[in-house]
Each structure stands twice: as C-alpha cells, then as structure tokens.
C-alpha cells in the first residue's frame, strides 16, 4: 500500500479535493519537460509543468509479480513543447516519465505515483500515443554472455580497451550531398582506409540532428568522395554542411580484432568454437578434421 504524505492524505480525505496530475518527461539527452492536466502551470521538483490541453493519461492496471505494467499518454502535438520532428528523430525513445498527483491549491502537497519509460510512439493525424512501460521492462533485457564466435564487447568500451579517442580511430566529416535517406556523401575522411568506419558510430555535432548518434553500416569510397550508409533514415533531417564525428567500427570477428586493432588479448568472443556448417558436414578426403581449433 502506498504511503502518502500526511498533508496530502488529509486533503484527499475531504469531501472535495483540488487535485491534478503532472508528468515530468526526462529525455536521455538531459532535456526535462513538464506537463499537467490543470489549467495553469504547476511546479513539481523544480520543473515547471505547463498546461497541455489535449493531453490525457490513460489508466494503468496494476499486476501482481514481475509482470510489466503498461499504460499510455495521448496528446496533440504542440510545437512549443513536443515537436513532431523530435519524436521522429527518436529524442523521446527510452525517456523517463514521472507521474505525479498533487493538490493544485497547495502544490507542495504532492506524491509521485509511478515511474515509467517511453516505449513505442505512434503518430497519426497530429496526435501522438506514447506507450509507458513500468520498470519491470528491464527484466526482459538479455543479461549475461552468449557463447558464440563473435565478440560481444562494443568497440571502445572497458571490456574492449581500444582507445577510440585516438586520432587513428576518429574523424570529422562534413555532409556534401544526399544520395538517399540512408546514404550520405561526406568529405574529410580521405586520410582513412575505405570501410574503416563501417559498423562505427556517427555523432552529429551540427544541424537538425545535433546531439544524436547513428550506427554506420557501410563506408565506401569512389571518385566523388566517401559514402556513409546508415541503418536508420537520416537524410530527411540533415543537409549539406552538417558536421558529424565518426568513430571506427568493428564487425566483431577475431581477424578484425587482430589485424585492425592488434587487440586479440581483449577479444570477448569464443573463436575456437566450430560453426554449424563445420559441425554438420561429414568427413571427406582432403578435409582437415584432425581436432585442431578452427579460428576464423
């Protein structure tokens, strides 16, 4: 059972109440927004919660055990608060949402009802529907390691040990043209080998995507310059002249760890296990099936 502050509990025990709901949305980039279903701004945890007409929080069923509780918030897109482009750019993906109940006549009488994270966001006809997932959602994430030939570390993290801040592994690129929504032509990477930044990361330091990171799938080169291919749609929100910092990529294979980074001591996969094609094939003349380890 929830313990309420004494003064708020006393107010709720009255025949008439002056309560309102507030939502604090804390994005992963640190931006905090506040909204309320009241008709005037309310201050919650030093966040000014502004009236959001058309914003409605749905009911959230309580479940026993570790089941994930889900709810939703409906609202009309408001460019002064939640811009549609920010939703499309993923700035609200995984954001923390705090739901508060307070006495609007005495805002110090308040209590946090729940904390959720934003899951799927659906947009249609100028209305957004944000799914709210309870903290139990974290229990659905895969934990531990997978016994596989590929490395399960991310290049540059503590388990990998490669210094991606080194000039050899980091470059600054400038968009010079858009091939399509997934491919950009850039300049500034001529000092690196072709494919060097494949499977790397691009951090946008300029333009409409400023502050966002996008995975790089391919890094090709032709007579007109370097071409970066992305796993998500980026062309709609960038323009020639935008600047991005790109970091080296890794396809997580043992040979890449050895030849590209000279970092085999920190390889976090199991390169000596055999693949399914090796396990299933039958002996034939000329096959080296003498029990020696198979390292790709």
């Amino acid at each position: 059972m929830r313990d309420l502050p004494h003064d708020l509990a006393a107010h709720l025990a009255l025949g008439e109440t002056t309560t309102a709901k507030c939502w604090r949305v804390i994005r992963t980039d640190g931006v905090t927004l506040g909204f309320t279903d009241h008709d005037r701004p309310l201050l919650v945890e030093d966040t000014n919660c502004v009236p959001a007409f058309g914003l409605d929080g749905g009911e959230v069923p309580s479940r026993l055990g570790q089941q994930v509780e889900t709810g939703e918030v409906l609202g009309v897109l408001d460019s002064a608060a939640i811009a549609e482009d920010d939703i499309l750019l993923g700035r609200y993906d995984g954001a923390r949402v705090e739901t508060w109940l307070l006495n609007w006549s005495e805002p110090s009488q308040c209590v946090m009802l729940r904390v959720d994270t934003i899951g799927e966001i659906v947009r249609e006809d100028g209305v957004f529907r944000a799914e709210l997932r309870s903290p139990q959602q974290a229990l659905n994430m895969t934990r531990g390691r997978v016994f596989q030939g590929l490395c399960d570390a991310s290049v540059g993290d503590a388990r990998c040990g490669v210094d991606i801040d080194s000039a050899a592994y980091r470059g600054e690129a400038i968009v010079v043209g858009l091939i399509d929504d997934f491919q950009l032509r850039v300049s500034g990477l001529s000092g690196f080998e072709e494919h060097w930044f494949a499977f790397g990361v691009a951090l946008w330091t300029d333009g409409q995507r400023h502050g966002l990171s996008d995975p790089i799938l391919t890094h090709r080169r032709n007579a007109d310059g370097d071409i970066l291919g992305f796993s998500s749609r980026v062309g709609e929100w960038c323009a020639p002249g935008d600047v991005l910092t790109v970091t080296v990529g890794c396809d997580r294979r043992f040979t890449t760890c050895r030849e590209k980074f000279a970092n085999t001591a920190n390889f976090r996969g199991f390169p000596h296990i055999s693949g399914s094609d090796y396990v299933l094939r039958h002996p034939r003349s000329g096959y080296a099936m003498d029990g020696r380890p198979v390292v790709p």
Side-chain angles (χ1 to χ4, degrees), residues 39-63:
D39 58 1
R40 68 181 185 187
L42 298 171
L43 191 66
V44 178
E45 292 287 292
D46 297 326
T47 299
N48 190 39
C49 298
V50 299
F53 304 106
L55 187 70
D56 177 50
E59 297 296 328
V60 180
S62 295
R63 295 185 170 92

Side-chain angles (χ1 to χ4, degrees), residues 86 89 91 175 203-212 234 236-244:
D86 286 339
L89 288 169
R91 297 188 189 276
V175 178
L203 173 64
W204 296 85
T205 58
D206 191 17
Q208 195 173 1
R209 299 187 68 85
H210 180 268
L212 296 177
V234 299
E236 189 174 348
W237 299 281
C238 68
D242 288 354
V243 181
L244 58 158

Side-chain angles (χ1 to χ4, degrees), residues 8 11-12 17-23 35-42 44 49 99-107 109-111 113:
L8 179 61
H11 174 72
L12 294 176
T17 60
T18 54
T19 60
K21 276 189 176 181
C22 294
W23 295 272
F35 306 95
T36 179
D37 57 6
H38 193 46
D39 58 1
R40 68 181 185 187
L42 298 171
V44 178
C49 298
T99 303
W100 291 76
L101 177 70
L102 76 163
N103 178 4
W104 55 259
S105 63
E106 189 63 46
Q109 299 177 8
C110 60
V111 63
L113 297 180

Side-chain angles (χ1 to χ4, degrees), residues 17-33:
T17 60
T18 54
T19 60
K21 276 189 176 181
C22 294
W23 295 272
R24 292 181 72 234
V25 181
I26 306 169
R27 299 190 330 205
T28 53
D29 58 3
V31 174
T32 301
L33 302 173

Side-chain angles (χ1 to χ4, degrees), residues 172-180 183-190 204 206 220 222-228 230 235 238-244:
E172 186 174 276
I174 301 175
V175 178
V176 296
L178 281 65
I179 298 176
D180 54 41
Q183 297 184 89
L184 306 177
R185 192 180 305 280
V186 300
S187 63
L189 303 181
S190 58
W204 296 85
D206 191 17
R220 298 181 290 112
N222 58 26
D224 297 323
D226 291 86
I227 300 173
L228 298 180
F230 295 85
C238 68
D242 288 354
V243 181
L244 58 158

Side-chain angles (χ1 to χ4, degrees), residues 144-146 148 150-154 157 159 252 268-270:
R145 301 185 62 188
V146 178
Q148 60 180 5
L150 298 178
C151 178
D152 61 4
S154 297
D157 67 9
R159 298 174 62 226
R252 303 174 185 269
R268 302 300 178 178
F270 303 89

